[in-house]
Amino acid sequence: MAKIDKNNDLGHNESVSRSYDFVHIDPVVQKRVVRKLDLNLMPLVVALYLMSFLDRSNIGNADTAGMSKALRETNAQFQWLLTIFYIPYILFEWLALMWKVVPPHIWAFATVLVWGQAATLQAATFSWRGMIVCRFFLAMAEAGYGPGIPYLLSFFYMRHEIGFRCGIFLSAAPFAACFATNWRLLFLVEGLPSIILAFVAFFFLPDSPEKSRFLSNEEKEVAKARAIRQVGQDGATRVGSISLKDVGAALIDPKNWLTALMYFSCNVSFSSLPVFLPTILTQLGFTSINAQGLSAPPYFLSFLLCIASTWIADRTSQRGLVIIILSCIGGTAGIFPAISNILPWVLNNQGTDTKRGVGIALLQMVGQCGPILGTRLYPETEEPRYFKGMSICAAFMFFNALLAPVLRTYLTWENKRAIERESKVAVVVEGDGKRQTVAVENEGYGFRNIL
């Protein structure tokens, strides 16, 4: 058993022992648990986010397919359709914390059902005002789902596992941009499956690993042990409440504000390119169907890079360097994967469930202000090259490349301080060497930021 100082203020070498409980996890069974989570949880999460992003971003394809002409919209009105989405999306970002308060299968059902109905009703809209109302409720419901999914995944996966799963989940965004069809049919194709998937989520989305129907009793015991290793003895009851103390600590943590600013920078491009790329290609002389088709290959490349880059970052524990490289690339292939690494970076370096939730909510509330700017960067007067909009998007990606090493430097400084504190604490290790202390993913003894 490991014993560490309980009452020492870490400024002296006096040693008063504090024992940590041990939890042993069979590595073979653990691999089986993770594999079953991947096969049963991730497909549903990815499918739901795919529909979420389709419902949100394919309005650009709907526009090139004749929506604005049918609804007699001006360019300014179309831009308001884009902007109105992000106002409720920002205002309701705090709903990401509801994944910890409400059983996940119930919360997923409610949010997906509402956005599916709003998305479907867009196909029946015959006015700009009606479309505005639909997109308002679409945004409100999606704010309660998508932004909190990385947080939900942190209930199932350890710190060194979460990044790759976030990459798989977020890779649905560029993949969604590969689809195109008639604009009214497009909204039906997007909305109706979401309504069906809401009921699938209600019956099949597990509230926690140890409550998963697809795990055996032995595997559920390992799942409980993994939860204890993450957050301590309360690991088995992670849903149901939040800590107000941790909320305050997360709000004053510089790490959360830096990642939020990084997310804002990426979102300027992330929100504008998927919407305006088909229009830009159309104005360059391509037909509507060819414009939609030509916009697909870059997004497919982004889909692959999202998965590859998050896998590399997990294996090397160098998420910051990966973000710097992707931000410098700065084109379509770099924006989506950069975001898919920023989101798990927040989760990697917060030490409690509540702080992880507040970190995600803060990141989304600040970050989603980026689309308000991004959706206003491509006025008609700039067509067809849109030099101003492209330049601003590129500038924000390079700004993101500068923010990443700043955060990385701060995380390194925090790690050095932790090492110095722990060097003044007496530690005695006993046992067979195969056992590990609980709550190794909390901000306790041995916790280190992932760079």
Side-chain angles (χ1 to χ4, degrees):
M1 178 173 291
K3 296 183 178 181
I4 71 171
D5 190 344
K6 179 178 181 181
N7 300 315
N8 194 357
D9 63 2
L10 303 184
H12 303 84
N13 288 324
E14 300 173 3
S15 178
V16 180
S17 67
R18 172 189 176 186
S19 63
Y20 273 43
D21 294 332
F22 286 95
V23 55
H24 176 65
I25 296 177
D26 187 327
V28 175
V29 180
Q30 177 171 229
K31 287 182 179 179
R32 197 160 67 235
V33 169
V34 173
R35 184 170 64 251
K36 286 190 174 182
L37 289 174
D38 288 342
L39 293 176
N40 291 274
L41 175 66
M42 292 306 301
L44 179 56
V45 166
V46 170
L48 287 169
Y49 187 65
L50 173 66
M51 300 313 303
S52 169
F53 197 83
L54 274 171
D55 293 338
R56 179 196 322 175
S57 67
N58 264 12
I59 193 169
N61 284 333
D63 182 54
T64 61
M67 181 191 69
S68 290
K69 187 177 294 184
L71 298 181
R72 298 179 181 177
E73 292 175 350
T74 65
N75 181 262
Q77 287 178 319
F78 175 69
Q79 290 200 340
W80 268 111
L81 281 182
L82 307 180
T83 304
I84 194 63
F85 178 89
Y86 291 100
I87 295 174
Y89 202 72
I90 293 168
L91 292 176
F92 291 96
E93 289 294 350
W94 59 270
L95 291 176
L97 285 169
M98 296 301 289
W99 288 108
K100 183 167 172 59
V101 178
V102 178
H105 77 283
I106 295 176
W107 185 246
F109 170 75
T111 54
V112 177
L113 183 63
V114 171
W115 103 50
Q117 291 173 331
T120 303
L121 288 173
Q122 289 180 110
T125 300
F126 289 90
S127 70
W128 175 76
R129 290 183 180 87
M131 191 67 75
I132 284 284
V133 173
C134 287
R135 288 189 65 77
F136 181 91
F137 284 99
L138 177 69
M140 183 178 67
E142 287 195 11
Y145 176 79
I149 284 297
Y151 181 40
L152 172 68
L153 294 179
S154 72
F155 297 163
F156 293 83
Y157 295 100
M158 307 290 279
R159 282 207 303 163
H160 66 281
E161 301 166 346
I162 189 71
F164 180 56
R165 276 74 189 182
C166 284
I168 294 174
F169 147 67
L170 289 165
S171 67
F175 188 66
C178 299
F179 297 96
T181 184
N182 171 273
W183 76 270
R184 290 194 185 276
L185 181 59
L186 182 67
F187 289 137
L188 285 174
V189 169
E190 294 168 355
L192 292 176
S194 296
I195 295 174
I196 296 172
L197 284 174
F199 290 90
V200 175
F202 182 81
F203 289 106
F204 293 102
L205 183 69
D207 291 335
S208 63
E210 58 273 16
K211 293 181 180 179
S212 303
R213 286 182 248 177
F214 49 83
L215 296 181
S216 66
N217 290 334
E218 180 187 26
E219 291 163 348
K220 286 181 180 180
E221 288 301 314
V222 169
K224 289 179 182 179
R226 281 165 55 88
I228 291 173
R229 185 175 292 180
Q230 282 180 286
V231 297
Q233 293 295 341
D234 293 332
T237 55
R238 298 170 74 174
V239 175
S241 64
I242 60 174
S243 166
L244 294 179
K245 179 182 177 181
D246 286 345
V247 170
L251 289 175
I252 63 173
D253 191 336
K255 299 193 294 288
N256 286 333
W257 289 98
L258 280 168
T259 47
L261 190 55
M262 292 171 64
Y263 193 43
F264 171 90
S265 300
C266 285
N267 262 344
V268 173
S269 300
F270 181 78
S271 63
S272 56
L273 282 177
V275 173
F276 286 103
L277 187 56
T279 301
I280 293 171
L281 291 171
T282 301
Q283 291 168 353
L284 287 174
F286 296 97
T287 64
S288 174
I289 190 64
N290 286 339
Q292 295 180 58
L294 287 171
S295 65
Y299 294 122
F300 184 69
L301 175 59
S302 285
F303 163 75
L304 298 177
L305 280 177
C306 279
I307 296 175
S309 64
T310 49
W311 182 84
I312 292 171
D314 273 354
R315 290 301 180 95
T316 62
S317 295
Q318 295 293 333
R319 184 147 274 120
L321 293 179
V322 171
I323 292 173
I324 293 169
I325 294 171
L326 292 170
S327 298
C328 287
I329 293 173
T332 303
I335 298 167
F336 287 91
I339 287 179
S340 67
N341 280 280
I342 291 172
L343 291 177
W345 212 11
V346 180
L347 301 170
N348 288 156
N349 297 323
Q350 293 297 321
T352 69
D353 280 342
T354 296
K355 291 181 72 175
R356 280 186 279 270
V358 174
I360 282 290
L362 182 62
L363 174 125
Q364 294 288 350
M365 291 181 74
V366 175
Q368 293 300 344
C369 292
I372 294 179
L373 172 61
T375 54
R376 317 296 291 186
L377 293 179
Y378 296 88
E380 286 181 325
T381 54
E382 294 285 330
E383 64 182 43
R385 296 188 179 277
Y386 296 99
F387 179 79
K388 179 181 177 181
M390 293 295 189
S391 298
I392 293 176
C393 287
F396 270 106
M397 289 308 298
F398 285 117
F399 179 55
N400 190 63
L402 292 175
L403 288 174
V406 171
L407 177 55
R408 194 174 184 275
T409 300
Y410 178 75
L411 296 174
T412 302
W413 175 74
E414 280 199 335
N415 284 350
K416 288 181 179 178
R417 288 185 64 197
I419 293 172
E420 290 175 0
R421 286 196 303 269
E422 292 169 10
S423 67
K424 301 173 183 177
V425 179
V427 179
V428 179
V429 179
E430 303 171 359
D432 58 11
K434 295 182 180 180
R435 299 179 180 272
Q436 299 185 30
T437 59
V438 301
V440 295
E441 303 212 344
N442 272 22
E443 292 170 338
Y445 189 90
F447 181 89
R448 297 293 183 272
N449 292 312
I450 290 179
L451 304 180

